Amino acid sequence: MTLERTFSIIKPDATRRNLTGKINAKFEDAGLRIVAQKRILMTKAQAGEFYGVHKDRPFYDELCEFMSSGPVVVQVLEGENAIAKNREVMGATNPADAAAGTVRADFAESVGENSVHGSDAPETAAVEIAYFFAGTELVG
Ligand code: DAT
Ligand code: MG
């Protein structure tokens, strides 16, 4: 069995509604282990750097504003095929398209305020984990 790690964020719309536990239960029920986790407040500049890949998209400013509008929970999830599995549990970006039972179908408020972030590939997972966590903070 090969364990993989992915990076996840529980976004401000979800922490505001006290949904951290309910979202974590979905991750754990799917076989993902939370091997690191902390609640932080991102600055707009930090959100901008994190989402730099989207800097030319029309929603970039709104996204950075939103991601720094309240506390987020940054976390590292570990499991078999963790990246794909987490994307499955998250559901589609737009909650209107998200499959029943996914985090976004159950909790997201809109395409912008969609409750969770999850890495989309091994390379981005590695960069995103290192952006928020030191190796010593990950306890498998
Ligand atoms: P995902 O979060 O599913 O990986 P993404 O990487 O394409 O989606 O976009 C990053 C975030 O940007 C997304 O979670 C919410 C926001 N976003 C994407 N498309 C948007 C849109 N059309 N309008 C507003 N916000 C959007
Ligand atoms: Mg993405």
Side-chain angles (χ1 to χ4, degrees):
M1 185 169 90
T2 319
L3 290 179
E4 186 176 61
R5 283 174 173 172
T6 192
F7 176 73
S8 164
I9 305 179
I10 300 178
K11 295 185 179 182
D13 67 287
T15 62
R16 192 178 301 128
R17 287 174 290 146
N18 215 18
L19 292 170
T20 299
K22 288 199 169 93
I23 292 172
N24 278 344
K26 285 188 187 286
F27 294 148
E28 292 184 339
D29 288 349
L32 293 165
R33 183 178 301 275
I34 301 161
V35 298
Q37 175 168 262
K38 58 190 172 191
R39 182 172 160 106
I40 62 165
L41 191 56
M42 272 199 247
T43 63
K44 190 174 175 185
Q46 206 177 8
E49 192 181 347
F50 178 76
Y51 275 118
V53 64
H54 294 304
K55 66 178 186 307
D56 296 325
R57 309 280 284 278
F59 55 80
Y60 179 67
D61 189 66
E62 183 191 331
L63 174 63
C64 298
E65 197 66 59
F66 166 61
M67 290 300 290
S68 57
S69 70
V72 298
V73 176
V74 292
Q75 49 191 192
V76 180
L77 308 179
E78 182 183 86
E80 245 187 300
N81 298 314
I83 296 169
K85 192 173 282 180
N86 180 43
R87 297 291 308 190
E88 217 175 286
V89 175
M90 289 164 60
T93 307
N94 185 342
D97 302 327
T102 60
V103 173
R104 283 165 166 171
D106 286 359
F107 302 128
E109 305 201 289
S110 66
V111 63
E113 307 204 357
N114 60 4
S115 305
V116 279
H117 164 85
S119 307
D120 57 12
E123 302 72 37
T124 45
V127 170
E128 292 175 0
I129 289 170
Y131 190 74
F132 288 101
F133 291 98
T136 51
E137 292 181 285
L138 277 59
V139 183

